[in-house]
């Protein structure tokens, strides 16, 4: 069978074989190394040569330095990403976790305070008033009617607000009520109540 040089190959794995003379100790080491991959000696050697070529590595010179520099560069990039993650977690803690905890603590304290029985104040007996003969403040009829009209409009406004209240049942915690009102109406209400 004729020997073919590696330059004459057209496909990987096609072609004949060639002999290379190497030391016996090196051949033993290479055979034991190539057994780890479960491939032929030619495939392992070809893979090693491709790896060195693609990564521009020189096994006798700066090859290990390049690899170490790449590892250090990746390590620096990973540390920067870890710092970003830590910053995101700290921001979440400040903006959402801590305020939620504070609100829950306030609600819990209010619940505990409301859960206690209120102390009954002693009943004060009023002294008999003798001023019933004195004239009292009387509201004129016109002003009384105006107050009643204001009260009716306030009552309508309150009923309108109650129509916009909906019950929300969250997955955690007690159900609560939510008022659906746009910002303009809210500002108008605030101004009106001043």
């Amino acid at each position: 069978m004729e020997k073919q040089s590696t330059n004459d190959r057209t496909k990987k794995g096609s072609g004949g074989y060639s002999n290379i003379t190497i030391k016996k100790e090196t051949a033993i080491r290479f055979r034991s190394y190539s057994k780890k991959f479960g491939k032929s000696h030619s495939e392992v050697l070809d893979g090693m040569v491709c790896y060195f070529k693609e990564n521009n590595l020189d096994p006798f010179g700066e090859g290990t330095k390049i690899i170490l520099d790449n590892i250090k560069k990746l390590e620096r990039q990973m540390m920067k990403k870890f710092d970003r993650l830590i910053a995101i977690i700290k921001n979440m803690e400040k903006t959402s976790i801590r305020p939620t905890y504070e609100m829950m603590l306030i609600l819990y304290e209010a619940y505990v305070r409301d859960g206690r029985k209120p102390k009954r104040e002693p009943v004060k007996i009023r002294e008999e008033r003798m001023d019933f003969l004195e004239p009292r403040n009387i509201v004129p009829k016109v002003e009384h009617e105006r107050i009643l009209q204001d009260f009716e409009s306030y009552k309508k406004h309150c009923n309108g607000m109650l129509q916009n209240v909906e019950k929300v049942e969250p997955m955690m915690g007690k159900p609560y009520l939510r008022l659906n009102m746009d910002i303009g109406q809210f500002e108008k209400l605030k101004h009106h109540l001043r």
Side-chain angles (χ1 to χ4, degrees), residues 36 85-86 142-143 149 162:
K36 291 180 185 178
L85 284 173
I86 290 168
V142 176
E143 192 173 335
Q149 286 176 349
L162 287 175

Side-chain angles (χ1 to χ4, degrees), residues 127-136:
E127 293 181 11
E128 195 172 322
R129 288 178 51 185
M130 300 302 285
D131 63 343
F132 60 91
L133 294 174
E134 294 178 14
R136 297 191 180 159

Side-chain angles (χ1 to χ4, degrees), residues 18-99:
S18 175
N19 292 336
I20 298 175
T21 307
I22 55 173
K23 290 183 181 179
K24 190 173 187 179
E25 299 86 27
T26 307
I28 292 169
R29 284 176 50 209
F30 181 74
R31 284 188 186 111
S32 65
Y33 181 72
S34 63
K35 281 182 184 177
K36 291 180 185 178
F37 301 105
K39 305 225 179 226
S40 69
H41 300 309
S42 297
E43 290 174 326
V44 173
L45 187 60
D46 190 40
M48 290 168 64
V49 171
C50 287
Y51 177 78
F52 283 116
K53 266 186 168 179
E54 287 175 9
N55 294 303
N56 293 327
L57 296 177
D58 179 11
F60 303 108
E62 302 278 325
T64 54
K65 186 180 178 199
I66 292 172
I67 292 174
L68 289 175
D69 288 343
N70 286 339
I71 290 172
K72 286 179 183 177
K73 183 179 175 184
L74 287 173
E75 186 179 350
R76 282 192 301 270
Q77 289 174 345
M78 291 300 293
M79 291 308 291
K80 285 181 183 177
K81 289 183 181 181
F82 284 138
D83 290 342
R84 287 184 194 142
L85 284 173
I86 290 168
I88 289 170
I89 291 170
K90 284 183 179 179
N91 187 22
M92 284 174 55
E93 187 179 68
K94 284 180 190 173
T95 57
S96 58
I97 296 171
R98 188 71 186 172

Side-chain angles (χ1 to χ4, degrees), residues 87-178:
I88 289 170
I89 291 170
K90 284 183 179 179
N91 187 22
M92 284 174 55
E93 187 179 68
K94 284 180 190 173
T95 57
S96 58
I97 296 171
R98 188 71 186 172
T100 304
Y101 170 75
E102 296 290 335
M103 286 190 301
M104 295 299 290
L105 188 62
I106 291 168
L107 289 173
Y108 177 73
E109 288 173 355
Y111 175 75
V112 169
R113 266 190 265 128
D114 290 344
R116 296 181 189 152
K117 291 183 179 178
K119 293 181 181 178
R120 294 187 181 228
E121 294 180 11
V123 178
K124 294 180 181 177
I125 300 173
R126 288 186 186 178
E127 293 181 11
E128 195 172 322
R129 288 178 51 185
M130 300 302 285
D131 63 343
F132 60 91
L133 294 174
E134 294 178 14
R136 297 191 180 159
N137 292 336
I138 298 173
V139 178
K141 184 176 180 182
V142 176
E143 192 173 335
H144 177 70
E145 288 176 359
R146 187 185 56 78
I147 291 171
L148 284 178
Q149 286 176 349
D150 287 348
F151 176 71
E152 286 299 320
S153 68
Y154 179 73
K155 192 173 166 183
K156 279 183 185 178
H157 183 69
C158 288
N159 283 330
M161 283 177 44
L162 287 175
Q163 295 298 323
N164 291 331
V165 173
E166 67 180 31
K167 184 178 180 182
V168 177
E169 294 187 15
M171 295 176 78
M172 290 179 49
K174 292 184 178 181
Y176 61 92
L177 301 175
R178 177 175 33 197

